[in-house]
Amino acid sequence: MSRIKADLICEIIRLSQTNLLDKKCANMSCDTQEQVAVDWVRKNAADYRVDFQSRLEAYSATRLGEILKDLTDTGKDLNDILEGIEPVHRG
């Protein structure tokens, strides 16, 4: 895997996790938001990263760029964006 593709995948996962936690914590107090985020990261972040990293490796760098743009523009997370989308394999 190219360095650019690996960096795209890392940024996509980071932004997706941020968007997911923003949604989870939207209507909570500051202290509660922090505790929910810490608990989620402790219990879920590693599995989330491993799962999506393996799924995203099947996509072309171009498609990964489009996914990153979607995450940035919409505030959605990868569960929302990848639902029902098949990767396009390019050699």
Side-chain angles (χ1 to χ4, degrees):
M1 177 172 21
S2 76
R3 183 70 189 151
I4 292 172
K5 190 171 171 180
D7 287 347
L8 275 169
I9 290 172
C10 286
E11 182 61 15
I12 286 168
I13 292 169
R14 184 203 63 77
L15 184 55
S16 178
Q17 288 176 328
T18 300
N19 291 349
L20 179 68
L21 287 171
D22 284 348
K23 285 190 290 188
K24 283 185 169 296
C25 299
N27 297 318
M28 298 177 184
S29 70
C30 230
D31 289 338
T32 304
Q33 286 178 358
E34 186 175 323
Q35 187 58 50
V36 168
V38 168
D39 289 345
W40 187 90
V41 167
R42 189 174 345 107
K43 295 174 185 174
N44 302 301
D47 290 338
Y48 188 94
R49 178 167 292 282
V50 169
D51 176 50
F52 280 113
Q53 186 163 5
S54 64
R55 290 173 62 185
L56 291 169
E57 287 174 358
Y59 291 91
S60 69
T62 301
R63 182 64 181 119
L64 291 172
E66 293 168 357
I67 291 169
L68 182 58
K69 184 177 181 339
D70 288 347
L71 289 168
T72 301
D73 292 347
T74 65
K76 292 180 178 180
D77 65 87
L78 283 168
N79 288 311
D80 298 330
I81 290 177
L82 296 182
E83 189 174 286
I85 296 175
E86 293 297 320
V88 175
H89 297 280
R90 297 206 174 115

